[in-house]
Amino acid sequence: MSSLFDWFANIRKTEPAVQKQQEREIADGLWTKCSSCNSVAYTKDLQANQLVCPECKYHNRVDSDERIKQITDAGTWKPLDENIHPIDPLKFRDRKDYQARLQDYQSKTGLTDAVTTGTGLIDGLPIALGVMDFRFMGGSMGSVVGEKLCRLIEHATAESFPVVIVCASGGARMQEGMFSLMQMAKISGALQRHQEAKLLYIPILAHPTMGGVTASFAMLGDIILAEPKATIGFAGRRVIEQTLREKLPDGFQTSEYLLEHGFVDSIVPRTQLKKTLTQLISLHQPFYTLMSPLEQNNGHHSEVSEKV
Amino acid sequence: MSKTKKKTFLLDFEKPLCELESRIDQIKTLAEENQVDVSAEISQLEIRADQLRQEIFSTLTPGQRLQLARHPRRPSTLDYVQAISDEWLELHGDRGGYDDPALVGGVARIDGRPVVIMGHQKGRDTKDNVARNFGMAFPGGYRKALRLMEHANKFDLPILTFIDTPGAWSGVEAEKLGQGEAIAYNLKKMFSFDVPIICTVIGEGGSGGALGIGVADRLLMLEHSVYTVASPEACAAILWKDAKKSDRAAAALKITSWDLKELGIIDGIISEPSSGAHANPVDAAVKLKQAIWKNLEELWQMTPQQRKELRYQKFRNMGRFEIVEAQ
């Protein structure tokens, strides 16, 4: 509901026709209102600041395309598995057919499902990157999210790439029933193999990271980063309030709360994210990749260390 | 005594059968007292009862199956452990300051072979249920389970898990201690163990809380158990905006053992006694043990590498999507 797009949609419905033109200009992107402090910023400035409000430092939601641009070096992004599309395995119908819902979100977002995956360079270093997009059914995890992330991780294991996944999800996609629950196990299995190859995995927890995503790949990083003030948790706030019938502590389930309790390594402002990622990846590069090509040609790193 | 208990926990669809059964009992007693031979009538009534039982239990709706899976008298993890093992020693604690009574485990001997068993534990009555948090485990429960699995792996003992939980506990303390992290870590680590892992849903398989001890070489379900991505009540509240639509959610989510076998989520269904496991726990335990043993024998034929590959591929293949070739 707090999405900027919803906000504009509501305005359009309720405001008189005269103002419509002006509102459309905003919707078309000249000016953008911060969803936290309501201050209006020139959209280009806001984008230059990676959608972090210059006034209140609020991290406005970023769609996956924008996020990829923020993290990878220009012109290096190679998407993977764009041809994987969701289906409706259970013929699920709540108040609307799942199939129809999927089509709505696809036409609204231009995405096939809630994650985009691919490879790219980050300051010249190769990474396998997965970015979830909250706009697509709340970033919920169904078969496509699971399959694309698994293929990404397996590709990274084969190529010895570090994996970075930007999480933004309400959790499992109920419309796919048990298939969605099992994606948690499936992705965790792929990460186990990536880990056995001694490769680096860094999840970035953006707002919100909940449910089955928290209880699987979001919490399995070698190093876990979070954006400031993101909501991160297993059970939803309302669920907990209902079961306990009491008010929840201030700042409960925020990035800062998780940092305090030892579940994230660092809270990184978005404007520092690329720099931090580059630093972490370069600090964890296998020793032999840092050697000169000549030394590498002489053989495997273990032989080199024997010589030493 | 037993009759009053039976009445308290009677589900709606069980009522006609129970009434018929108690009438048969009454006639038997009366006949005995008055020394009249009514064996012909009795056997006719018993045939009728069998038919009725068949009718009722073969046409249960997913909502009714959910009730059956949550039946207060349904055998729990510790009931089955007692019934199938020759020896059993419960082990306690996550070594991090907590021992969760909602997720129990220990070492056991079944038909002469040592195994490690763990599972969610619901209470047997209200007091016990409060103590065991209705089978909803804390992060410490999952960490205890992990510790026991690592123990099993070290000593080359097969891991058997019994799944029976409405879900992992949702509370402030559980969040603070990292419920998500505890489950996530189990999921990952369970792919690394060399020993055979057999997981059986014995009652209610509730979401991530169930999966947290559910990564298996063989995933089995008792006939009348259920396994869900979210409780039908929660699903109805979110998708239908009406928690009372839970019957419809239960049907739509495909939660029964037959549905999940057909969808390729589980490997096998363990049949239950004709009126459900709660009506004949001893028989249910025998069937459970046979099924576990059969699967274990097959798994023992494999090398650890084969088992791990099988486990990986089994979950790797779960999911339905389509590949759309670009025009």
Side-chain angles (χ1 to χ4, degrees):
Chain A
M1 283 307 282
S2 58
S3 142
L4 220 52
F5 293 94
D6 292 345
W7 185 79
F8 285 124
N10 288 337
I11 294 291
R12 274 189 212 158
K13 268 179 236 154
T14 50
E15 294 297 294
V18 194
Q19 281 189 10
K20 220 174 181 177
Q21 191 54 40
Q22 195 195 349
E23 294 294 340
R24 185 157 296 149
E25 261 186 344
I26 295 178
D28 284 348
L30 208 51
W31 297 92
T32 306
K33 198 170 180 180
C34 170
S35 26
S36 177
C37 71
N38 287 340
S39 67
V40 178
Y42 193 46
T43 302
K44 277 186 182 165
D45 287 348
L46 195 63
Q47 269 167 356
N49 206 34
Q50 308 193 342
L51 300 188
V52 178
C53 175
E55 293 294 321
C56 70
K57 308 290 175 227
Y58 177 76
H59 285 54
N60 289 282
R61 192 167 285 149
V62 190
D63 63 40
S64 42
D65 281 354
E66 186 65 29
R67 181 75 80 166
I68 290 162
K69 276 183 216 153
Q70 291 175 4
I71 293 176
T72 57
D73 301 347
T76 64
W77 175 249
K78 293 195 190 95
L80 286 168
D81 304 307
E82 289 175 294
N83 57 358
I84 298 181
H85 289 236
I87 58 170
D88 176 12
L90 307 184
K91 304 277 168 282
F92 196 95
R93 187 189 161 80
D94 42 80
R95 289 170 304 155
K96 194 172 173 179
D97 284 344
Y98 176 43
Q99 195 70 51
R101 257 183 222 278
L102 285 172
Q103 277 161 8
D104 279 1
Y105 280 101
Q106 282 168 342
S107 58
K108 210 156 60 177
T109 61
L111 302 166
T112 53
D113 207 303
V115 75
T116 304
T117 57
T119 59
L121 298 177
I122 175 164
D123 275 353
L125 302 169
I127 57 164
L129 175 65
V131 180
M132 302 188 83
D133 199 314
F134 192 79
R135 291 176 304 157
F136 197 99
M137 289 187 82
S140 56
M141 171 167 57
S143 299
V144 171
V145 170
E147 183 67 21
K148 286 180 81 169
L149 287 177
C150 265
R151 289 188 187 200
L152 177 78
I153 298 161
E154 286 174 341
H155 179 73
T157 308
E159 301 288 331
S160 298
F161 288 167
V163 171
V164 174
I165 299 177
V166 181
C167 306
S169 171
R173 187 173 298 168
M174 280 180 277
Q175 289 89 344
E176 291 187 29
M178 281 297 289
F179 285 117
S180 43
L181 187 75
M182 289 306 179
Q183 303 311 308
M184 293 165 63
K186 176 170 156 178
I187 299 166
S188 304
L191 285 172
Q192 171 64 23
R193 293 196 159 186
H194 189 254
Q195 180 193 284
E196 282 167 9
K198 301 203 172 205
L199 296 165
L200 179 67
Y201 165 48
I202 304 176
I204 295 152
L205 315 185
H207 178 73
T209 298
M210 296 300 293
V213 170
T214 300
S216 61
F217 58 92
M219 283 291 146
L220 290 176
D222 297 295
I223 291 163
I224 303 175
L225 305 180
E227 288 207 324
K229 297 201 171 74
T231 302
I232 305 160
F234 175 67
R237 203 185 164 89
R238 265 179 303 169
V239 176
I240 300 173
E241 271 172 343
Q242 272 165 18
T243 40
L244 297 182
R245 297 181 198 286
E246 63 183 53
K247 220 177 159 300
L248 297 172
D250 280 344
F252 181 62
Q253 291 187 326
T254 57
S255 307
E256 292 71 18
Y257 180 88
L258 266 83
L259 182 71
E260 192 189 326
H261 291 97
F263 289 100
V264 301
D265 286 282
S266 185
I267 296 173
V268 182
R270 193 177 293 155
T271 46
Q272 300 297 308
L273 185 60
K274 183 169 181 174
K275 191 173 143 242
T276 309
L277 277 175
T278 309
Q279 190 184 10
L280 283 172
I281 291 167
S282 76
L283 280 168
H284 292 84
Q285 272 186 297
F287 177 62
Y288 64 89
T289 61
L290 299 173
M291 294 183 299
S292 72
L294 191 68
E295 281 175 304
Q296 280 189 35
N297 287 340
N298 283 341
H300 197 251
H301 60 293
S302 58
E303 290 170 41
V304 175
S305 55
E306 268 169 31
K307 278 179 212 161
V308 173
Chain B
M1 171 81 185
S2 71
K3 265 184 189 166
T4 51
K5 263 191 182 170
K6 246 184 175 176
K7 267 178 196 162
T8 326
F9 295 126
L10 215 52
L11 301 174
D12 276 348
F13 58 84
E14 288 182 305
K15 272 180 190 158
L17 182 62
C18 193
E19 275 165 19
L20 185 56
E21 279 173 343
S22 64
R23 208 179 312 149
I24 295 173
D25 282 347
Q26 274 176 0
I27 295 173
K28 274 186 187 166
T29 340
L30 270 174
E32 239 172 72
E33 280 168 9
N34 302 318
Q35 299 193 329
V36 192
D37 181 23
V38 287
S39 54
E41 287 83 349
I42 295 266
S43 73
Q44 249 185 348
L45 280 174
E46 274 172 347
I47 291 169
R48 174 74 199 115
D50 276 346
Q51 283 172 342
L52 192 61
R53 192 175 297 123
Q54 278 274 312
E55 269 168 41
I56 292 171
F57 282 86
S58 62
T59 56
L60 292 177
T61 65
Q64 287 171 327
R65 283 188 201 286
L66 182 66
Q67 287 183 302
L68 207 53
R70 290 172 176 168
H71 199 291
R73 304 207 63 77
R74 198 168 166 83
S76 67
T77 292
L78 287 176
D79 294 326
Y80 285 123
V81 166
Q82 296 294 344
I84 66 173
S85 52
D86 321 324
E87 289 176 59
W88 159 252
L89 194 65
E90 189 176 340
L91 302 173
H92 291 274
D94 68 349
R95 301 298 185 265
Y98 194 70
D99 180 45
D100 194 345
L103 210 169
V104 298
V107 283
R109 193 189 298 276
I110 302 177
D111 285 354
R113 293 202 76 140
V115 296
V116 167
I117 307 180
M118 69 205 68
H120 306 101
Q121 183 62 40
K122 290 184 178 177
R124 292 191 175 93
D125 51 44
T126 311
K127 201 177 149 204
D128 195 19
N129 249 325
V130 170
R132 295 197 184 272
N133 202 28
F134 297 84
M136 293 182 280
F138 270 68
Y142 293 100
R143 293 185 180 123
K144 173 167 72 175
L146 180 70
R147 181 205 138 211
L148 293 175
M149 289 189 258
E150 283 172 337
H151 179 86
N153 196 51
K154 176 178 175 185
F155 293 101
D156 214 14
L157 306 173
I159 297 166
L160 309 179
T161 79
F162 294 137
I163 293 167
D164 188 18
T165 179
W169 174 238
S170 310
V172 176
E173 193 67 9
E175 293 290 320
K176 191 172 125 188
L177 295 170
Q179 188 69 282
E181 192 273 347
I183 292 171
Y185 196 59
N186 282 17
L187 299 184
K188 190 172 93 160
K189 287 298 278 187
M190 286 183 89
F191 282 97
S192 75
F193 296 133
D194 289 335
V195 294
I197 307 175
I198 298 176
C199 302
T200 311
V201 186
I202 58 170
E204 205 178 355
S207 193
L211 190 62
I213 54 166
V215 176
D217 299 322
R218 294 286 158 82
L219 179 54
L220 310 175
M221 277 176 86
L222 281 180
E223 187 181 345
H224 297 304
S225 60
V226 297
Y227 201 170
T228 64
V229 61
S231 80
E233 289 82 357
C235 178
I238 297 166
L239 295 181
W240 278 268
K241 313 279 176 209
D242 181 359
K244 290 187 192 109
K245 298 262 162 65
S246 68
D247 274 0
R248 273 167 75 179
L253 284 169
K254 303 269 187 270
I255 63 175
T256 68
S257 56
W258 286 282
D259 283 333
L260 295 173
K261 179 80 173 70
E262 202 176 299
L263 293 172
I265 300 283
I266 62 165
D267 299 297
I269 299 171
I270 304 170
S271 65
E272 287 185 30
S274 51
S275 312
H278 64 286
N280 191 346
V282 177
D283 197 18
V286 169
K287 288 177 163 151
L288 174 68
K289 184 172 159 179
Q290 281 169 350
I292 289 175
W293 222 239
K294 181 177 157 282
N295 281 284
L296 210 47
E297 306 244 296
E298 288 166 18
L299 293 170
W300 259 316
Q301 308 294 316
M302 302 177 197
T303 65
Q305 276 63 38
Q306 284 172 328
R307 280 194 294 262
K308 278 198 276 187
E309 182 61 24
L310 176 95
R311 198 181 303 154
Y312 186 77
Q313 291 306 337
K314 173 182 157 60
F315 285 91
R316 185 68 189 79
N317 291 327
M318 286 185 196
R320 299 274 172 93
F321 50 85
E322 62 180 352
I323 309 280
V324 180
E325 295 307 332
Q327 284 96 17

